Amino acid sequence: MKTATPSPASLLSFYPSRCSTLERSEIRHMAKRRLTRRQSWRIEKIQQERQARAQRREAHVETLLEDEHLGPEQEGRVVASYGASVDVEDPAGGLHRCHLRQHLGTPVCGDHVAWQVGSRGNGVVVAIRSRRSALIREMPDGGERPIAANLDRVGVVIATRPTTPMGLIDRYLVAAEHLGIHPFLVLNKIDLLEPGELAELEESLAVYSRIGYELIPASTVTAHGLDALRAALGGHTSVLVGQSGVGKSSLINCLIPSVEARTAALSEATGKGMHTTTTARLYRLPGDGSLIDSPGVREFALGHIPAAEVGPAFIEFRPFLGHCRFRDCAHRDEPGCALRGAVDSDAIDPRRLASYHRIVDSLAGGEPGQR
Ligand code: GDP
Ligand code: ZN
């Protein structure tokens, strides 16, 4: 199956770290020709200097923090993270640029944190509260990095054009379920449909509503469905994910009309430029609820999960799992397969079982771009 799911390598390219790019080019050069002793010495020296600079920076921040008279501990939420510092929103909506205490770990957008205000107006994060859930990004080296925390809703955006293959919709749903988050679907750009086409499309997507996924037809052009979308997001911390071009940015602009202004206000309040690299941002929705967005969040894809965890992520399979004759049933041609039985009795849609097999096969094969 060929999908538009980006490979982990292309995911990384959203966050080019200047340092690692430099190191990579050094490594490439090293591979091309043997280094003279002088060159090796120079590289080592550069690395030592870099390390010393980083240590000095850290020590400087720590000294600043010690010198300052810090206020009492308060609760807040990370609304943007820049690596070495974060923007924390206090319960009254005030924004504070905060440094991080050493050995704190990395707070990410959506984290609930304890922080203290400093005498110079900025603050320091002293504790990260435990996370209810986290969106994890798989790195090409096999490592993992959280990019957003404490999400409770994932909206999978699909469109009338470009259409999203069912297999890819299932991958998004499975990825969300695997995080323990119940997703919903947004069918955007319904203004492009001829009369009667919507009913047809809804019928083909009814497989999802039958198993409990809400489907919200919407259009950013006619504003159709936006109230239903607001209701689905209300009171939650959500992300909108989906293929490129389905209209996620357009939907976010409709939901948060001041999204640009808000970004500018954030930058102004915290004294950082608009183009400061940030991994993600949390936007308050008018009313109640918040939306976390970033290019990385939008590229949300199914990570490399153990094959045994794929089945339960197909929610309608759950009552049948564990009831096959063979404990290691692959749900293909084995006799006494409870999932096949459920397909025969129309309790499971055969397309969903086929999707399940494609996902398990792609995980086993480890094809790049399919994970
Ligand atoms: P993203 O890549 O998912 O963020 O998609 P964008 O928000 O950038 O939208 C991709 C294209 O679809 C843009 O040209 C939008 O103007 C267009 N678009 C977004 N929503 C709608 C819609 O509801 N109807 C129509 N006709 N076009 C839309
Ligand atoms: Zn089976």
Side-chain angles (χ1 to χ4, degrees):
M1 182 185 72
K2 204 164 168 56
T3 70
T5 312
S7 68
S10 75
L11 291 182
L12 177 76
S13 63
F14 277 104
Y15 304 113
S17 137
R18 209 179 301 155
C19 191
S20 64
T21 313
L22 210 88
E23 273 157 9
R24 271 202 295 274
S25 76
E26 279 170 7
I27 291 165
R28 259 200 303 278
H29 277 107
M30 281 195 268
K32 274 191 192 152
R33 56 190 160 76
R34 286 190 56 173
L35 293 176
T36 64
R37 197 177 302 179
R38 191 173 160 71
Q39 282 166 329
S40 310
W41 173 81
R42 242 184 68 74
I43 288 172
E44 199 174 313
K45 190 157 178 295
I46 289 170
Q47 274 164 353
Q48 277 169 359
E49 278 169 6
R50 221 181 261 158
Q51 207 174 359
R53 264 203 309 276
Q55 277 167 357
R56 273 200 302 276
R57 258 200 311 273
E58 223 165 64
H60 177 65
V61 168
E62 284 294 308
T63 316
L64 271 181
L65 295 178
E66 273 161 26
D67 283 354
E68 280 200 81
H69 175 70
L70 296 174
E73 242 180 71
Q74 321 180 36
E75 294 301 311
R77 195 155 195 209
V78 175
V79 296
S81 90
Y82 309 94
S85 60
V86 294
D87 289 340
V88 172
E89 191 181 62
D90 63 33
L95 295 170
H96 311 266
R97 174 61 48 93
C98 289
H99 294 298
L100 310 175
R101 267 264 181 263
Q102 238 181 327
H103 313 303
L104 178 77
T106 312
V108 296
C109 202
D111 262 325
H112 295 286
V113 294
W115 67 284
Q116 292 171 278
V117 72
S119 49
R120 292 181 188 87
N122 55 2
V124 53
V125 174
V126 293
I128 305 174
R129 302 300 183 208
S130 63
R131 290 174 182 151
R132 244 187 356 262
S133 64
L135 206 71
I136 305 287
R137 177 193 203 80
E138 217 170 287
M139 307 306 282
D141 64 4
E144 291 182 334
R145 198 174 79 187
I147 46 174
N150 299 314
L151 299 167
D152 35 34
R153 297 234 74 185
V154 169
V156 178
V157 183
I158 58 175
T160 55
R161 248 157 270 166
T163 56
T164 304
M166 189 172 163
L168 186 54
I169 298 176
D170 289 334
R171 295 183 82 90
Y172 283 120
L173 298 178
V174 164
E177 293 289 350
H178 188 249
L179 289 179
I181 300 169
H182 191 61
F184 62 94
L185 291 164
V186 182
L187 171 62
N188 190 33
K189 306 198 198 183
I190 59 163
D191 57 286
L192 296 179
L193 295 171
E194 298 294 328
E197 273 186 321
L198 178 60
E200 221 172 273
L201 205 53
E202 279 182 311
E203 182 46 41
S204 73
L205 291 167
V207 50
Y208 295 111
S209 35
R210 274 198 291 271
I211 57 177
Y213 292 121
E214 186 184 4
L215 174 74
I216 303 173
S219 165
T220 63
V221 173
T222 65
H224 182 103
L226 296 185
D227 284 339
L229 181 55
R230 284 190 191 100
L233 301 173
H236 299 287
T237 300
S238 320
V239 291
L240 293 182
V241 304
Q243 263 180 308
S244 160
V246 292
K248 297 178 297 296
S249 323
S250 311
L251 284 166
I252 290 168
N253 285 334
C254 289
L255 293 167
I256 313 160
S258 55
V259 68
E260 299 276 308
R262 163 98 178 143
T263 310
L266 252 174
S267 311
E268 204 176 303
T270 56
K272 278 251 181 173
M274 287 275 285
H275 301 292
T276 316
T277 315
T278 161
T279 45
R281 270 187 196 285
L282 181 144
Y283 301 100
R284 291 267 169 235
L285 293 166
D288 194 14
S290 33
L291 200 59
I292 297 182
D293 188 45
S294 79
V297 166
R298 291 186 213 162
E299 299 289 351
F300 175 70
L302 184 61
H304 195 87
I305 69 174
E309 291 171 25
V310 179
F314 280 77
I315 51 171
E316 76 279 32
F317 293 7
R318 288 175 189 169
F320 304 100
L321 293 170
H323 295 281
C324 301
R325 185 176 307 163
F326 301 109
R327 262 188 45 177
D328 61 346
C329 184
H331 321 303
R332 291 180 204 268
D333 304 316
E334 295 89 340
C337 172
L339 291 189
R340 285 253 166 242
V343 169
D344 292 341
S345 63
D346 288 334
I348 289 178
D349 191 297
R351 291 171 296 175
R352 290 272 290 171
L353 187 58
S355 251
Y356 163 83
H357 284 137
R358 275 200 300 271
I359 291 177
V360 170
D361 291 346
S362 74
L363 291 171
E367 302 161 47
Q370 290 294 297
R371 298 195 293 155

